[in-house]
Amino acid sequence: MGPPSRSRGGEKMISSIAELIADRIGTMPASERRAAQTLIASYPMIGLKTVAEFSAAAGVSSPTILRFVARLGFQNYPEFQSSLQDELAAQLQSPAIRTLNPPSPGGGTASPMLEATLDNMRETFRHLSDKQLADIAARLADRRGKTFLIGGRFTDPLARYMAAHLAIIQPDVFHLAGQESMWRDRLIDMGKRDVLVIFDIRRYQDSLLRFAEKAHQRGVQIVLFTDQWLSPIARFARHVIAGRTAVPSAWDSSAALFVVAETLIGAVTRQLEAEGAKRIREMEGLR
Amino acid sequence: MGPPSRSRGGEKMISSIAELIADRIGTMPASERRAAQTLIASYPMIGLKTVAEFSAAAGVSSPTILRFVARLGFQNYPEFQSSLQDELAAQLQSPAIRTLNPPSPGGGTASPMLEATLDNMRETFRHLSDKQLADIAARLADRRGKTFLIGGRFTDPLARYMAAHLAIIQPDVFHLAGQESMWRDRLIDMGKRDVLVIFDIRRYQDSLLRFAEKAHQRGVQIVLFTDQWLSPIARFARHVIAGRTAVPSAWDSSAALFVVAETLIGAVTRQLEAEGAKRIREMEGLR
DNA sequence: GGAGCGCTGTATCGTATGTTACGTATTTTG
DNA sequence: CAAAATACGTAACATACGATACAGCGCTCC
């Protein structure tokens, strides 16, 4: 149906392919969604390469990539690439109104660490559509299922942080801690209506991958927080959040993912306002 | 003759294909120069299209385009295109000319949550001098004493996050978890040379205050991460980091404190470079 | 002014790339 | 639970693309 002709009269205003994808990613089959996520993660560069490279990066076959671009409304792959190029050209020409973030006025501290972190956040959110966030929030707010959270060596605190908040506004929120063998046993509690939130940035942990695969096989919906190179778990994830992690430090930064987590916490809370408020009041009463 | 390998030792520093062209355009024949000029005119978009389109735009033949890219030192046309793409990708990542997601029409931003968070960070760092950060980092890097970390209900994950990193680059780093009675017993291990890092934002927890007071009495140096209203623990703290927490959400944001923590982790790591690097290598070896 | 050299375009070739058809696996529906 | 529909990948296919050989032309230098 919808051709890529943008900005039609009564329709939604779509001004970039990224938005187009965000708009239709919900209607896509699993493999095409992986293609979409891969493209968004390193937008738009992967789309400028060959179909073979694109498909390899996404871990799907070439025809899937072609079906993906077809679903976006393009007649063929070259037409899709041209569109991406036009978009890029427009971006490069734009006057680059960079009034934001004053370049350290009055000889400010100019901490490169802070600057990099701020950029990471903007970049992370640039690749993250409001719709995608809303979808994930809706999923997390769905009270018919349970919510499990787990993280890797350095990211497990993020899982804890998120769990600490979510557990207050709704029941059935569990943070998976401790040994790998401990999580395993929890698998038996997980089913199709449940959500598993995984934090995994490189160096990606095999234990998490194994766990994610098993959960996926049980039909659990996986929400993955990872870095821009995408943990292999992305293969099993229903939703992928790719945060930027590069900072001038010996370590990678999880700050962008942290902010996304906070944003989601806020969105879920708003969604559960009615029940949530009551719950919170009750809890306060129990102090 | 010069290959496209950039930034060679004794040679001129060439960091982009545009510079490479400017450098060699003088040695080119007429037709190739037209190709060069055409590319520069709409840099780099034309170079991403096919040879045929490029040649048509420049008004020369296809072989001339190929000779042109060959003269720049590329083996073939695809290699030339890849180089352009890499350059573009780097430009898009760098904070140079980034157009934000939707150009925030009418000042209304897409994600007020993100904007508030970014503001919090700038504001937090504005009130935080480099010297203060350096002092704290030096204290944490001092290997004569032990480091303990603890947090409140929502901030304990931050303590964990920091502990996870610090524990790798130096020994004697302990995260205090579990019940209050558990920490108590650790007090006996703490002395004047030790550091206690506490995370406490409102609503401030009495248990933490009591613990901080006792530690203070034993001469422990306290580093306090709190919000702008300052936890009562500030009274006993040697160093206080006041992060902004206000966001349009039902919850307060700990993101600014998180970034300060990451900054400190980076600073401590740099300080312990020598020992740290060795430790990290050893640990990698133990895998 | 003639011979040699370099620059450029035309025409042809091989191949990498996008495309399509089809069979299997998976999910959905009655 | 059966049957239909959808999704996905393998493999064969056609084309369009980059690469190359070659001939014509202009220019320079004896």
Side-chain angles (χ1 to χ4, degrees):
Chain A
M1 29 194 84
S5 69
R6 328 277 184 66
S7 66
R8 280 277 288 283
E11 293 171 9
K12 209 175 304 182
M13 171 75 170
I14 302 281
S15 64
S16 79
I17 295 180
E19 289 180 55
L20 190 64
I21 292 171
D23 189 51
R24 303 196 181 173
I25 197 171
T27 73
M28 294 181 189
S31 285
E32 294 183 30
R33 192 156 44 222
R34 280 172 57 195
Q37 288 164 344
T38 307
L39 175 58
I40 295 297
S42 65
Y43 189 80
M45 299 317 296
I46 255 294
L48 299 178
K49 302 193 184 294
T50 67
V51 172
E53 287 178 276
F54 191 167
S55 66
V60 300
S61 66
S62 302
T64 297
I65 299 298
L66 297 174
R67 282 188 284 261
F68 164 66
V69 304
R71 193 180 298 266
L72 292 179
F74 297 96
Q75 293 300 324
N76 48 35
Y77 194 72
E79 184 182 305
F80 162 73
Q81 288 189 315
S82 292
S83 231
L84 276 181
Q85 286 185 12
D86 293 347
E87 201 177 303
L88 245 178
Q91 255 190 54
L92 291 177
Q93 304 240 358
S94 85
I97 331 155
R98 223 154 132 73
T99 344
L100 302 185
N101 187 19
S104 25
T109 54
S111 157
M113 185 79 180
L114 173 62
E115 286 306 315
T117 300
L118 294 177
D119 278 325
N120 280 339
M121 289 174 187
R122 288 199 208 91
E123 194 60 15
T124 298
F125 273 80
R126 213 166 67 80
H127 291 294
L128 201 62
S129 72
D130 292 345
K131 186 161 186 321
Q132 202 174 345
L133 280 173
D135 283 347
I136 300 175
R139 173 63 55 191
L140 288 174
D142 189 338
R143 302 228 348 232
R144 287 173 305 185
K146 302 184 281 295
T147 304
F148 298 89
L149 300 99
I150 193 171
R153 181 167 186 183
F154 296 119
T155 49
D156 195 54
L158 300 199
R160 283 178 187 271
Y161 185 77
M162 205 164 166
H165 287 82
L166 292 182
I168 291 182
I169 55 175
Q170 58 183 344
D172 294 326
V173 174
F174 307 101
H175 172 248
L176 302 174
Q179 300 297 325
E180 184 176 3
S181 54
M182 302 272 268
W183 324 331
R184 278 272 196 58
D185 301 336
R186 303 302 302 270
L187 271 172
I188 205 172
D189 296 322
M190 304 187 191
K192 290 187 182 176
R193 344 195 80 165
D194 303 328
V195 182
L196 172 60
V197 180
I198 306 183
F199 291 79
D200 189 36
I201 64 176
R202 60 163 197 195
R203 309 151 68 216
Y204 312 115
Q205 292 183 215
D206 285 333
S207 56
L208 286 178
L209 177 58
R210 287 193 299 269
F211 186 73
E213 182 168 14
K214 293 207 183 72
H216 175 69
Q217 283 166 1
R218 295 186 62 88
V220 177
Q221 309 250 359
I222 295 182
V223 175
L224 173 67
F225 285 68
T226 183
D227 52 36
Q228 68 186 107
W229 296 280
L230 299 191
S231 151
I233 295 176
R235 183 186 179 78
F236 309 115
R238 179 72 176 247
H239 297 282
V240 176
I241 292 166
R244 304 298 159 129
T245 58
V247 283
S249 163
W251 311 93
D252 281 341
S253 166
S254 302
L257 290 178
F258 188 90
V259 173
V260 174
E262 279 197 340
T263 304
L264 273 176
I265 291 168
V268 173
T269 304
R270 213 170 307 121
Q271 211 137 339
L272 290 176
E273 201 82 297
E275 305 102 279
K278 208 175 73 187
R279 255 180 89 85
I280 292 177
R281 268 196 305 276
E282 274 182 37
M283 285 207 165
E284 299 274 339
L286 291 178
R287 291 209 154 205
Chain B
M1 21 200 72
S5 69
R6 328 278 184 65
S7 65
R8 279 277 288 282
E11 295 170 10
K12 210 177 300 184
M13 172 75 167
I14 302 282
S15 62
S16 80
I17 294 180
E19 289 180 55
L20 190 64
I21 292 171
D23 189 50
R24 303 194 182 175
I25 197 172
T27 72
M28 295 180 188
S31 288
E32 294 183 29
R33 195 172 311 158
R34 286 180 62 188
Q37 286 163 346
T38 307
L39 175 57
I40 296 296
S42 64
Y43 189 82
M45 299 315 296
I46 262 288
L48 298 177
K49 300 190 184 295
T50 67
V51 173
E53 287 179 275
F54 193 167
S55 67
V60 299
S61 67
S62 301
T64 298
I65 299 298
L66 296 176
R67 281 188 285 262
F68 163 67
V69 303
R71 191 181 300 265
L72 291 179
F74 296 97
Q75 292 300 322
N76 48 34
Y77 195 72
E79 183 182 304
F80 162 73
Q81 287 190 316
S82 290
S83 234
L84 277 181
Q85 285 187 12
D86 293 347
E87 202 177 303
L88 242 179
Q91 250 189 57
L92 289 177
Q93 305 261 352
S94 89
I97 352 158
R98 184 169 310 140
T99 9
L100 299 201
N101 198 2
S104 346
T109 322
S111 170
M113 185 79 181
L114 173 62
E115 284 308 312
T117 301
L118 296 178
D119 279 331
N120 281 339
M121 289 174 187
R122 289 197 205 93
E123 208 36 36
T124 299
F125 274 78
R126 218 164 61 78
H127 292 278
L128 201 60
S129 71
D130 291 344
K131 186 169 185 317
Q132 202 174 347
L133 279 174
D135 284 347
I136 301 175
R139 173 60 57 191
L140 289 174
D142 188 338
R143 301 224 353 226
R144 286 172 307 184
K146 301 184 283 294
T147 304
F148 298 88
L149 300 99
I150 193 172
R153 181 169 186 183
F154 297 121
T155 48
D156 194 55
L158 301 199
R160 282 178 187 272
Y161 186 78
M162 204 164 167
H165 287 83
L166 292 183
I168 290 182
I169 54 175
Q170 57 184 346
D172 295 325
V173 174
F174 306 100
H175 172 247
L176 301 175
Q179 302 297 324
E180 184 178 0
S181 54
M182 302 273 269
W183 325 330
R184 280 273 198 55
D185 301 337
R186 302 303 301 271
L187 269 172
I188 205 173
D189 296 323
M190 304 187 193
K192 291 186 183 177
R193 344 195 83 166
D194 303 327
V195 182
L196 172 60
V197 180
I198 306 182
F199 290 79
D200 189 37
I201 64 176
R202 61 163 195 194
R203 307 154 73 224
Y204 312 115
Q205 292 183 215
D206 285 333
S207 57
L208 285 178
L209 178 58
R210 286 194 299 270
F211 185 72
E213 183 169 12
K214 295 204 182 73
H216 176 69
Q217 284 167 0
R218 295 185 62 88
V220 177
Q221 310 250 359
I222 294 181
V223 176
L224 173 67
F225 284 68
T226 184
D227 53 29
Q228 65 188 109
W229 296 281
L230 299 191
S231 152
I233 296 176
R235 182 186 178 78
F236 309 116
R238 177 76 175 246
H239 297 283
V240 176
I241 292 165
R244 303 300 161 123
T245 58
V247 283
S249 162
W251 311 94
D252 281 342
S253 166
S254 302
L257 291 178
F258 188 90
V259 173
V260 175
E262 279 196 339
T263 305
L264 274 176
I265 291 168
V268 173
T269 305
R270 215 170 305 122
Q271 211 136 340
L272 290 177
E273 201 82 296
E275 306 101 282
K278 208 176 72 188
R279 256 182 88 85
I280 292 176
R281 268 197 303 277
E282 274 181 36
M283 287 208 163
E284 298 275 338
L286 291 179
R287 290 209 155 205

